Amino acid sequence: MSERKVLNKYYPPDFDPSKIPRMKLPKNRQYTVRLMAPFNMRCKTCGEYIYKGKKFNARKEDAENEDYLGIRIYRFYIKCTRCLQEISFKTDPRNTDYEIEEGATRNFMALKLAQEQEKREEDAEKEEEATNPMKLLENRTQQSKQEIELMESLEELRDLNRRQGNVDYDSMLLKYNPAELKEQIKRMQEVEDENTVKNLMGIKRKINENEELVESDDKSKIKNVITSMTQSSAKKKVSKLNLLNLVKVNNVTSTKKTKESCNSLSLIGNYSSSDDSN
């Protein structure tokens, strides 16, 4: 049992592969393969439905003189499960699909046919735009008009939604837990109360500070008035004293002059002048 699972075979040392005779096989040889139906189909002779994914023992061959960009195209032959009618289909690498040839018709082809028709129309429009510049200009103007109309319709819908948009707050609140909502509301109220108290305390402090500043300003004004009065009175006294000092100074200067005059040689004239003044 273990020998049949061996993948490597024994080759003797005198083995020469060139001595093995080569078989001459035909070019269009058919191979038997196991496959599944690639699409839903219906037999033309008996009308039997063959659904996609049904398994068959099929014959495979290369399609002669057919390829797509160097990719080979293969043909498959299967038999109907009811009447044993031969059905053939081949690969389609261009569309990444399979193409039915004989013996059956493909079902649910409406979508594929519509896509192919749409593709043909697009190709025709592109060719016409490339050859006719006026057609290109018309298409662009039409597209711009359509875009403007779409934008206007969207704006109208937004306006209608804004007008008709009614929010059901009761249903929104019911979605949440009422106990949690109550707790959240209490917390919010407590925070708001604390903030209001803090604001009031701050306002009171500001008022007290302003009153203190006013009182201090009044006191400073009174002090300034008193100091100004004292300074004015002191200045008056000083002015009086200065006047007295000036008088004294003048007297001193006069006495000095008299002394000097007494010391001079004109004593007799001074005495006479003093007697006259008396």
Side-chain angles (χ1 to χ4, degrees), residues 27-89:
K27 291 182 180 179
N28 195 6
R29 185 187 172 187
Q30 291 184 353
Y31 298 91
T32 57
V33 293
R34 185 78 171 172
L35 58 79
M36 291 187 290
F39 44 78
N40 297 313
M41 63 184 81
R42 185 182 181 185
C43 181
K44 286 183 178 179
T45 57
C46 64
E48 178 70 14
Y49 286 100
I50 299 169
Y51 58 87
K52 182 179 177 180
K54 189 173 178 62
K55 293 180 180 179
F56 292 94
N57 291 324
R59 291 182 289 113
K60 185 189 83 170
E61 66 178 7
D62 296 338
E64 293 181 357
N65 300 323
E66 291 184 15
D67 63 348
Y68 175 73
L69 300 175
I71 300 170
R72 287 183 181 179
I73 294 173
Y74 298 101
R75 185 177 286 109
F76 301 94
Y77 298 97
I78 60 173
K79 290 183 178 180
C80 178
T81 56
R82 187 175 179 183
C83 63
L84 301 177
Q85 174 66 29
E86 194 172 57
I87 300 166
S88 64
F89 56 91

Side-chain angles (χ1 to χ4, degrees), residues 209-222:
E209 288 176 358
N210 291 325
E211 288 177 355
E212 289 176 359
L213 288 170
V214 170
E215 290 176 358
S216 63
D217 290 334
D218 294 333
K219 288 178 182 178
S220 62
K221 285 179 182 178
I222 293 161

